[in-house]
Amino acid sequence: MRVMAAAILIAGALAGGAAMAAQEPVAAWVQMGGDGAQARAISDGASCPVLKVDGRARRMTPRAGPDDAFANRICQAPLPRGARRASVGGAALPMPRQRPRRLVILGDSGCRLKGAIVQNCNDPVAGWPFARVAVLAAAQHPDLVIHVGDYYYRETACPEGNAACAGSPYGDRWPSWKAELFDPAASLLKAAPWVFARGNHEDCRRGGLGWFRLLDADTGVRACPAHSDSFLVDLGGLKLGVVDSADPDDATLAPDQAEAFDKDLAPVRAAAARGPVWLVTHRPLWETGRNGATLSDLHGNINEQSAVRAHGLGEVQLVVAGHIHNFTSLDFGPGRPPQLIVGTAGDAQNAADLPPPAIGPLKVDGMTAQAFTMGRFGYFVFDRVGVSKNADWVGVFRDLTDTVVANCVLKAGRLSCVAA
């Protein structure tokens, strides 16, 4: 009997160990939303993994899955404000700081596969360098990462016989999201909490299913067609107002889209009346183009501009965006906030934007701006200087060799960027 009981105990221990192992997360990260920080994890197990916060176990609740597209379980739990340590499945999570001093900003990171348009996803050096960008950015020890959208680009199958993308997953399902974001960005997801903005590649015609399950800030999962709510992230003396711009058409005026974007801006304007706020959104309000050293106004998003013309941006101090696959700064002076575009993390770039940078005054949407634009894979680091509510920010753009190729300063509502 003792032998049998021992055998049962051993079998039970082995089964329990297997169950615990199965619950170790495939990926785990911390993201910021309107209610603070949230731990999320993806598990192949039968239940959610255990979250430990300051030594105490906390329950993670199922968010979505498993199903045909996402054959794993997506789990979530809020992180208490002031918590010092947290882990999921034994893996340490990056903890949010009440006053982040160093930000990493990047966007447009996925590898493009769409019919005959094939990016070299299998070349992590020159073809699709997002993993390299993420490793370099993680080595900067950021306090917060801001991704300005467009994670999912692998819409169609790799053409047969094409070595540039052979073996790549495609379609809005877990293998694609794993290849596009969670594998290449693993080091950066471990380095700091993230703020995720929704890009047009995460609209409901493309990557909306994965967006709402994995990255949307709301604690409930919305089904397409759907829209992400605006939310504010408190950085201690500065707030980020994150606004969904996946849907507004760039070139065709649609009054319903302009009205919807205007409503999305309302909480951002209200917050900006009380203190410093940056607007974070995927589609830039204003865009520039270039032909060699000659700059031109590409007019930007017509529906966003219509909303801004109707009610302004209030006291917003900076617009942070992506969508355009280059690094661009625009400074308008009084009357309009400056804008920073960092769409440089991995997706194919326009050869016309490649170095040297184009610099000069340019009339954009009726106002003269000092423009700086440059095509280069890389990421942007923004450091807070000083302790006042209106602290200055000093930034550098780093390329794939981790060389500083541009220097920027945001001071008293003015943004200045120059070649290093």
Side-chain angles (χ1 to χ4, degrees), residues 63-149:
R63 178 176 170 85
D67 57 24
D68 291 342
F70 288 81
N72 41 36
R73 195 174 306 277
I74 302 157
C75 306
Q76 63 188 11
L79 285 177
R81 185 176 176 85
R84 302 184 64 178
R85 298 183 308 279
S87 63
V88 174
L93 293 173
M95 299 305 290
R97 293 177 179 268
Q98 292 187 14
R99 185 180 169 85
R101 296 188 64 86
R102 171 162 287 188
L103 314 180
V104 158
I105 304 174
L106 45 73
D108 300 84
S109 53
C111 189
R112 187 177 295 262
L113 293 181
K114 189 170 184 177
I117 304 173
V118 175
Q119 191 173 349
N120 194 339
C121 304
N122 292 333
D123 179 359
V125 177
W128 180 54
F130 179 39
R132 172 69 175 163
V133 170
V135 168
L136 293 173
Q140 295 294 321
H141 304 293
D143 298 322
L144 184 73
V145 176
I146 301 171
H147 194 301
V148 292

Side-chain angles (χ1 to χ4, degrees), residues 278-279 286 313 316-320 328-333 335-341 369-370 409-416:
W278 296 355
L279 170 63
W286 308 284
L313 280 172
V316 167
Q317 291 190 349
L318 177 68
V319 178
V320 181
T328 296
S329 70
L330 291 172
D331 181 73
F332 295 94
R336 182 181 290 175
Q339 179 180 267
L340 189 68
I341 296 174
Q370 182 66 26
V409 175
L410 178 66
K411 184 179 179 67
R414 302 296 299 272
L415 177 66
S416 172

Side-chain angles (χ1 to χ4, degrees), residues 106-109 119-120 123-140 184 327 343-349 354-355 374-381 396-406:
L106 45 73
D108 300 84
S109 53
Q119 191 173 349
N120 194 339
D123 179 359
V125 177
W128 180 54
F130 179 39
R132 172 69 175 163
V133 170
V135 168
L136 293 173
Q140 295 294 321
F327 175 76
T344 58
D347 190 60
Q349 296 191 342
L354 295 178
M374 174 182 64
R376 192 85 67 99
F377 286 120
Y379 62 99
F380 188 68
V381 180
V396 295
F397 184 86
R398 292 178 174 268
D399 66 11
L400 294 180
T401 67
D402 220 23
T403 300
V404 173
V405 293

Side-chain angles (χ1 to χ4, degrees), residues 26 53 59 77 127 130 133 154 163 178 219 256 268 304 402:
V26 174
V53 179
R59 182 171 175 264
F130 179 39
V133 170
R154 303 183 197 218
K178 183 174 183 290
T219 54
D256 58 330
V268 180
E304 293 178 345
D402 220 23

Side-chain angles (χ1 to χ4, degrees), residues 286 297 305 309 332 336 362-369:
W286 308 284
D297 177 10
Q305 289 180 0
R309 289 192 192 102
F332 295 94
R336 182 181 290 175
L362 175 67
K363 201 160 195 176
V364 179
D365 187 29
M367 287 187 68
T368 299

Side-chain angles (χ1 to χ4, degrees), residues 239-259:
K239 286 185 170 65
L240 304 180
V242 185
V243 173
D244 182 348
S245 59
D247 294 327
D249 188 87
D250 284 328
T252 303
L253 183 62
D256 58 330
Q257 292 181 4
E259 182 180 354

